[in-house]
Amino acid sequence: MRVRLGAALAASLSPLLFAAAVSAQPMAPAPALQGVVASFIGDQLTVRDAHGVRTTVTAPSDARFLRLRPIDPSAIRPGSFVATANVSQPDGSGRSTEFRVFAPALRGLGEGHGPMAGEAAGTMMTNGTVSAEVVSTPRGRELDISYGGQGGGVRHVVIPPNVTIREMSVADRADAKAGVPVEIRAGQAAGGRLVARAILIGETSRPAAR
């Protein structure tokens, strides 16, 4: 479920967050939208991007609001439910390019392991439970992630020192206030109307124009 958090975030948002899509209405996918909230009136959410361009999306009652915040790597413990975009290595492990620790309310979201659509060959998304202690090595932090579902298994993942660890938790619609940075994944309904599936609060790749 790639979310990324720049161009990398946008690619990873879909597998990171939206494997369990909240909207039942069939819609064509739309590019990720990043910026700051310009206004949120009723179900109409207007976002201003880094170039000052404003885009309005409909945020229905079933849209998912989520929050990201950096946390200390010590928060990754056995039993933590996590999600990571990772690149397959020759030894069969995955090198993490982004890493999320899910709050308890999101446990199980998108559980599984598989290729990330639209990414380079060997780029995978792994959502599952940390099954052993995290070990520090010269390569970074190393851990095993167990995942269930069809084809369940274990993925050994290395988190390089330059990868920021973030917690993902449930947010409220009221948290999407003017000036707040957001990342929106939306679908395009009939007539071109954009309908938000999920709104990620607290992260955007570039500052918005004033």
Side-chain angles (χ1 to χ4, degrees), residues 1 15-21 64 79-83 100-113 125-130 145-149 168 170:
M1 295 167 47
L16 271 178
L17 308 179
F18 314 114
R64 189 187 296 276
S80 297
F81 191 84
V82 301
R100 308 285 176 259
V101 178
F102 285 9
L106 295 174
R107 186 175 188 85
L109 185 63
E111 183 168 5
H113 170 75
M125 178 56 58
T126 306
N127 288 32
T129 301
V130 177
I145 301 174
S146 299
Y147 53 91
M168 183 174 291
V170 176

Side-chain angles (χ1 to χ4, degrees), residues 83-179:
T84 178
N86 57 96
V87 179
S88 296
Q89 302 299 294
D91 64 0
S93 67
R95 177 176 53 80
S96 179
T97 57
E98 60 171 324
F99 199 96
R100 308 285 176 259
V101 178
F102 285 9
L106 295 174
R107 186 175 188 85
L109 185 63
E111 183 168 5
H113 170 75
M116 288 178 62
E119 293 294 300
T123 303
M124 313 296 286
M125 178 56 58
T126 306
N127 288 32
T129 301
V130 177
S131 56
E133 292 288 346
V134 180
V135 178
S136 293
T137 73
R139 298 196 298 176
R141 295 178 175 83
E142 302 199 28
L143 66 156
D144 289 333
I145 301 174
S146 299
Y147 53 91
Q150 186 176 5
V154 178
R155 177 73 157 176
H156 186 75
V157 172
V158 179
I159 310 173
N162 65 335
V163 172
T164 300
I165 311 301
R166 291 180 170 87
E167 179 189 60
M168 183 174 291
S169 59
V170 176
D172 190 83
R173 294 177 72 91
D175 295 329
K177 301 175 182 178

